[in-house]
Amino acid sequence: MTLLNSLLRATNFRNPFLRTLVPSLCAAYTLQAAAGLPSILAQTERYYDLSGSLTYLSCTALSLYLPALRARAAAAAAGKALPAWPGLLDSLAGRGGPGALNWRQVVLSAAVGVWAARLGSYLFQRVLADGKDSRFDQIKKSPPQFAVAFFAQATWVSLCLLPVLAVNSIPPAVLAALPALTLTDVVGLSLFLGGFSFEVTADRQKDKWVQEKKQKKHEEDFLTRGLWSTSRHPNYFGESTLWSGIAITAGGVLTSTIGQAGMGLAGGPLGILLASGMAAASPAFVTFLLLKISGVPLSEKKYDKKYGNRKDYQEWKRNTPMFIPKFW
């Protein structure tokens, strides 16, 4: 408890927004360091993706409950009754009382939670089935390089979560003044649902195709059916789209007059630009990572090396968009 109180005092900034945002971002690097050290020593990548998903879940939960934790710690120090933890369902239904969360905080956090749990379990099951992750064949043999991978994952979590953490860091009492529903709420959450469904469907189609190949039900070397006939990387397109949806909903909050006040900004062009940048950082980073670093380039290079001289592969590449699906 003494350590907890020390951490709460060290992050007790004058601005309530920073009191939650800064510790939530720092938690990503702390958790990745805790996961990275034993992985580096054991030279295993088995828990890399799983630790990333757990970091998403932990940082999101911390951003939701840290203000309540501070209130309870202050009450305990003063010998007063401890305030109740905010209930997610009650907050969502508007029955949470003075300490309730705003429904957008609950929904955006739930969206991240569902995505992280689904992807983390999917990737963990895959690495268990394959026995390894080929991305780390060389990296895990070098402790400095492996440490950089965990640092990069902490940065990935921080930038992707930034819009959600920012919304969660605004006091719910301030967000209560927002309209019940806005256009950015509808557009953003619709994009999230569409992108998430697209990613899940693409992954399931790929898994089914792999299993059928193992069962000798077909002899195809690369998948060209279903969503994979509309895009060479439909799962990555879904990933980019869902984070864009989260950013739009969060951006609508952060750029509003109420959101600006909740962040301690004076508003105006500079404040709106800063808030827009915090929201846009997430989909921009995800899309850049997928298109230029770890997603599309690695996959394209792998398949080009294997099948680049085949006419059917060349025809599929020529007729199928790399990223944005073609439905006509």
Side-chain angles (χ1 to χ4, degrees):
M1 196 65 179
T2 302
L3 176 60
L4 174 60
N5 289 333
S6 298
L7 291 174
L8 292 177
R9 284 195 298 270
T11 57
N12 191 27
F13 303 105
R14 180 176 299 178
N15 186 333
F17 176 73
L18 295 180
R19 284 180 209 156
T20 299
L21 182 63
V22 172
S24 300
L25 292 172
C26 291
Y29 291 90
T30 302
L31 292 170
Q32 281 301 290
L37 183 58
S39 297
I40 292 169
L41 294 175
Q43 293 188 354
T44 178
E45 73 279 23
R46 178 167 295 186
Y47 303 104
Y48 181 81
D49 290 314
L50 181 62
S51 73
S53 294
L54 292 176
T55 301
Y56 269 102
L57 296 171
S58 300
C59 292
T60 303
L62 179 63
S63 68
L64 279 178
Y65 287 104
L66 185 55
L69 181 62
R70 290 186 185 278
R72 289 171 66 88
K80 299 179 179 179
L82 301 183
W85 295 102
L88 297 183
L89 294 180
D90 286 339
S91 297
L92 194 59
R95 301 191 303 266
L101 300 165
N102 182 265
W103 74 264
R104 293 172 181 84
Q105 295 174 315
V106 177
V107 170
L108 287 175
S109 297
V112 170
V114 170
W115 169 84
R118 202 286 305 186
L119 186 62
S121 60
Y122 171 77
L123 294 176
F124 186 55
Q125 289 173 358
R126 189 175 70 176
V127 76
L128 289 179
D130 295 344
K132 67 171 186 175
D133 185 335
S134 58
R135 295 176 301 170
F136 296 93
D137 285 348
Q138 298 302 320
I139 294 176
K140 66 184 179 183
K141 298 176 183 178
S142 169
Q145 290 184 23
F146 209 5
V148 168
F150 279 95
F151 179 84
Q153 181 155 257
T155 303
W156 170 57
V157 172
S158 299
L159 288 175
C160 286
L161 272 184
L162 186 57
V164 178
L165 297 182
V167 171
N168 288 352
S169 298
I170 298 176
V174 175
L175 295 179
L178 285 170
L181 189 68
T182 66
L183 180 60
T184 52
D185 294 331
V186 176
V187 173
L189 294 177
S190 297
L191 278 176
F192 169 81
L193 289 173
F196 182 74
S197 300
F198 212 85
E199 181 181 43
V200 171
T201 301
D203 283 340
R204 288 181 176 176
Q205 289 177 348
K206 183 68 173 288
D207 283 344
K208 182 180 179 182
W209 179 85
V210 170
Q211 292 303 317
E212 289 177 347
K213 186 173 179 64
K214 291 179 179 178
Q215 296 167 5
K216 308 296 183 182
K217 292 184 178 181
H218 67 78
E219 296 181 356
E220 300 169 0
D221 290 317
F222 44 91
L223 177 57
T224 60
R225 294 181 268 122
L227 293 181
W228 299 83
S229 67
T230 67
S231 168
R232 301 204 298 274
H233 304 280
N235 51 340
Y236 296 149
F237 171 77
E239 177 91 352
S240 176
T241 301
L242 70 88
W243 284 111
S244 297
I246 286 176
I248 288 173
T249 296
V253 174
L254 299 177
T255 58
S256 68
T257 302
I258 294 166
Q260 294 280 290
M263 291 188 288
L265 299 175
L270 186 59
I272 293 176
L273 181 62
L274 177 60
S276 299
M278 294 177 72
S282 175
F285 180 73
V286 168
T287 304
F288 173 77
L289 198 65
L290 292 174
L291 290 179
K292 299 298 182 182
I293 307 296
S294 66
V296 171
L298 292 179
S299 180
E300 292 278 308
K301 182 179 179 181
K302 173 184 175 181
Y303 280 92
D304 284 349
K305 185 177 180 180
K306 282 186 175 181
Y307 312 116
N309 60 343
R310 286 174 44 169
K311 291 185 178 181
D312 56 347
Y313 177 75
Q314 294 171 5
E315 182 179 357
W316 176 62
K317 285 195 67 174
R318 186 167 53 250
N319 296 328
T320 308
M322 180 184 70
F323 192 66
I324 299 177
K326 179 179 70 174
F327 294 107
W328 59 89

